[in-house]
Structure formats: C-alpha cells, structure tokens
Amino acid sequence: MENQEKKPVIYSGIQPTGVITIGNYFGAVKNWTQLPEQYDCYYSIVDLHSITVRQEPKKLRENTKNLLAFYIAAGLDPKQNILYLQSSVRQHAELAWILNCFTYMGELSRMTQFKDKSQKHGENINAGLFTYPVLMAADILLYQTDLVPIGDDQKQHLELARDIAIRLNNEYSGLFKVPEAYYGKVGARIKSLQEPEKKMSKSDENVNAFISVLDEPAQIRNKIKRAVTDSLGEVNYTDDQPGVKNLLDIYICSTKETKEQALEKFAGQGYGYLKEETANALIAELEPIQKEFARIVADKAYLEEILKENGQKAAYNAEKTLRKVKKKVGFLEI
Ligand code: TRP
C-alpha cells in the first residue's frame, strides 16, 4: 500500500457463531466485495464478541474457519481486504479496557441488544455481554475508521462508539476519527421467512426461518416453499405484504434484475411461481460460492496463512493508535 493516497477506512465484522445466512451475504458481504477500490477495508471475524454467549470450543473453531472461507469464496480478496481474526490482534482487548474506563454504566444499560440478550440468556448475564459495545468501539476506533457498514440493529452501538471517541477526543484531543455509518447502494435487509416483519436470524429456533449460504438446493426449495406470504394473491413490493416483498428482495439480490423488471415478470402470477423462481435464482447465485467454499475450506494451510498475514497487518495499524492512546492517558512508555 506504499505510495498510494490514503483511502477512507471501512471496518466491519461478523461473529463466528451459527451458520452464515443469506441475510449476512446479501445484507453485508456481497456489498463489501464492491468496496476495496475506494476504501481500505477491514473485515474481522469477531470471535472475542462471540464468547459473550457460551460457545463450544470445537464448534467455534469450525465456525471461524467457515466464516473466513466464506468471506473469500463470496469474493473478498484477502490481498485487497484485511480479513482477520479479532482475537489474534491483542490491541482490541487492550483498547477495550481503556475505553471501559470512559464508558458509563448508564450508557451500557440503555443498549437494547444487552437488554434482549440478557433476557434470552438469563442464566449467563456476564460482564462481557454488558461491555460488548465497548469492545466493538475499540474494534472500530483502533483503525481510525471512517465508515462502518452495519445493520439497523447495530446503530445504537455505533452511536456509542462515536460518543466514546468524541469523549476521548475532548479530553486528549485528536485521538480518534469519529466513525459514521455506511449505507451501501443495495444492501437489502433480508427478513425471516417465517415472520417476515423480523430480520432473518441464524439464531432463530425455527430453521425454516433462515437459509444458510451453505444449504443444499433441496433445502433451499423447501424453505422457500414454506415461506410465509399472505392471502392477497398478488405480487407487489410493499410493506403491507412483507413476506412477498422479502421473496422479491431475495430474487432481486440473486439476479441482476431491477425491482421493476422483477415486478413485471411476476405480474399476474401466483405465489407458487414467485417461490419457484426465487429458489431457482438463489440456488444459481449460491452454487459457485458453495463450490469455491468447499475448495477453500479444505485448504487449512492457506487459511492459516491468510489469518497470520492479515492479522499482522491489522496489528501494525492497531498498534499505532493504541500507542498514542496509552501515551495520552499517561502510561509510561517503556
Ligand atoms: N456487533 C456486531 C454484530 O453483531 C459485530 C461487530 C463487532 C462489528 N465489532 C464490530 C460490526 C465492528 C461492525 C464494526 O453484528
């Protein structure tokens, strides 16, 4: 990256828990593949965040490898994007501690995700779950990030990261870039197939509510066939028909068609046809990625090398920020 102008920095991350859904793909990763020309992109696998909910070690390792292989298979080139493992860059945990001392209990108590998760995991309301957004702020601020592509559910966390950055900048001046949310051009928010008012979630108890990017064609057809629609029997793109709208979004994201083209195609057709064509399009979109995934995930040495190399690059840049922070707060440099 020498003798190049510095591009704005983009940072985002996904937790290596559960399966990777088509919501992760269409809402995030697919859009990220368009960015490295204009931005310096960091995409982390946020394993430190994932242990705020109990994980089985073997599963966590497997999910981590799968997510990295998926990033690459979906088109994120590890030479053009810094794809790395959060836990391999010690600066994250270190900065998070410092930021913890500048974040108020009241602020963290107001986080809706904390409230939701502590209800869901009542037996394990650990301190990490509470300070989760501080670690996320550290992720973002370490790299002097300009833009953060996130879903609506993470807006409040990003807002907090901004508040923390501004707070430290006021006290010590010029420490952090204050990040902003990035809204991509496409970025459809894929909804649950069973309750289309809700976001598609990999932790949904009903497996028919989400589609994994690794699902087999037969599973995809089956889940789409069972997708909840409505009794109107007309294909429109409107919030009054959230199930149909969601299928149209999946169809549009899987093809190169515009909304208008899709609506024309489905005008006067029943939901059976919409579902069939949506399943076909999605299967065709995922097929090459699944093939590539299978090839990459089998190559352990390659994956390890990428994590090592990219982790070192990330650490180098993270250290610059961390050193500055430590100095400004008054730690002796040794
Ligand atoms: N909390 C985010 C989520 O669950 C994941 C995440 C961790 C993240 N650190 C981040 C996203 C930094 C963007 C930037 O979706």
Side-chain angles (χ1 to χ4, degrees):
M1 278 179 213
E2 286 108 309
N3 64 44
Q4 263 180 29
E5 259 176 74
K6 212 171 150 3
K7 303 181 209 168
V9 174
I10 286 217
Y11 189 101
S12 200
I14 298 182
Q15 295 195 45
T17 52
V19 299
I20 307 157
T21 69
I22 58 166
N24 296 129
Y25 176 53
F26 290 131
V29 180
K30 189 172 182 185
N31 306 315
W32 298 352
T33 63
Q34 308 300 315
L35 303 174
E37 274 200 7
Q38 289 176 58
Y39 302 98
D40 274 340
C41 301
Y42 292 81
Y43 300 117
S44 60
I45 297 173
V46 290
D47 52 353
L48 295 175
H49 278 105
S50 73
I51 62 162
T52 53
V53 171
R54 206 59 87 229
Q55 302 295 327
E56 200 199 311
K58 197 167 154 234
K59 207 82 216 129
L60 181 57
R61 274 190 288 272
E62 191 185 311
N63 287 336
T64 301
K65 270 188 232 149
N66 284 353
L67 185 53
L68 176 63
F70 176 72
Y71 275 173
I72 302 167
L76 291 175
D77 179 348
K79 296 240 178 301
Q80 289 184 23
N81 300 278
I82 299 189
L83 312 177
Y84 77 102
L85 196 56
Q86 185 192 29
S87 66
S88 78
V89 178
R90 292 186 186 85
Q91 286 82 354
H92 288 253
E94 209 173 325
L95 181 62
W97 172 257
I98 297 174
L99 299 185
N100 263 320
C101 301
F102 292 84
T103 308
Y104 300 109
M105 303 286 285
E107 289 177 304
L108 294 174
S109 312
R110 283 195 290 277
M111 295 291 126
T112 53
Q113 190 174 78
F114 171 70
K115 290 189 234 172
D116 291 349
K117 284 200 182 172
S118 42
Q119 246 176 25
K120 220 164 130 194
H121 304 280
E123 74 302 335
N124 181 20
I125 307 177
N126 60 71
L129 198 60
F130 191 61
T131 60
Y132 176 114
V134 182
L135 178 60
M136 180 163 158
D139 297 343
I140 297 167
L141 301 181
L142 266 180
Y143 300 96
Q144 304 293 340
T145 299
D146 294 274
L147 295 167
V148 187
I150 39 162
D152 291 339
D153 60 325
Q154 297 298 315
K155 261 194 194 155
Q156 203 185 18
H157 290 165
L158 180 62
E159 210 40 58
L160 180 69
R162 288 169 53 84
D163 290 344
I164 296 173
I166 293 168
R167 187 169 303 152
L168 274 101
N169 284 348
N170 284 341
E171 188 137 349
Y172 303 109
S173 89
L175 266 185
F176 299 121
K177 206 28 124 11
V178 181
E180 306 212 6
Y182 175 85
Y183 298 103
K185 289 186 204 89
V186 253
R189 308 259 179 256
I190 305 299
K191 308 288 189 181
S192 157
L193 296 177
Q194 293 298 316
E195 294 166 88
E197 303 77 24
K198 287 192 345 198
K199 168 181 156 175
M200 179 177 282
S201 164
K202 57 190 166 188
S203 47
D204 205 305
E205 276 154 32
N206 184 348
V207 294
N208 288 319
F210 60 84
I211 294 176
S212 158
V213 291
L214 301 178
D215 276 351
E216 310 254 337
Q219 285 172 293
I220 294 178
R221 279 187 212 289
N222 210 336
K223 289 180 183 179
I224 290 191
K225 214 177 263 171
R226 291 166 184 229
V228 168
T229 50
D230 52 63
S231 53
L232 199 68
E234 237 179 70
V235 180
N236 301 303
Y237 191 87
T238 156
D239 288 335
D240 297 335
Q241 294 177 261
V244 171
K245 183 178 177 203
N246 194 36
L247 290 171
L248 280 167
D249 272 331
I250 296 172
Y251 177 82
I252 294 164
C253 283
S254 302
T255 59
K256 292 203 169 65
E257 288 179 35
T258 62
K259 197 194 310 173
E260 290 67 31
Q261 286 169 322
L263 283 171
E264 199 171 309
K265 175 183 166 94
F266 294 115
Q269 300 281 350
Y271 294 160
Y273 181 65
L274 171 66
K275 287 180 169 182
E276 202 180 296
E277 285 298 281
T278 300
N280 286 339
L282 180 59
I283 290 164
E285 165 81 0
L286 293 180
E287 192 200 46
I289 298 175
Q290 293 183 345
K291 269 205 186 125
E292 205 32 25
F293 173 86
R295 190 182 68 77
I296 296 169
V297 84
D299 195 344
K300 234 176 119 194
Y302 172 68
L303 292 176
E304 276 169 14
E305 193 185 296
I306 285 172
L307 286 183
K308 212 178 214 167
E309 248 177 46
N310 282 313
Q312 281 167 0
K313 278 191 218 161
Y316 177 83
N317 289 324
E319 181 59 22
K320 287 197 227 164
T321 299
L322 182 65
R323 183 171 298 159
K324 214 158 76 174
V325 174
K326 288 169 81 171
K327 190 168 168 192
K328 292 247 185 180
V329 298
F331 296 159
L332 261 190
E333 279 188 288
I334 50 164

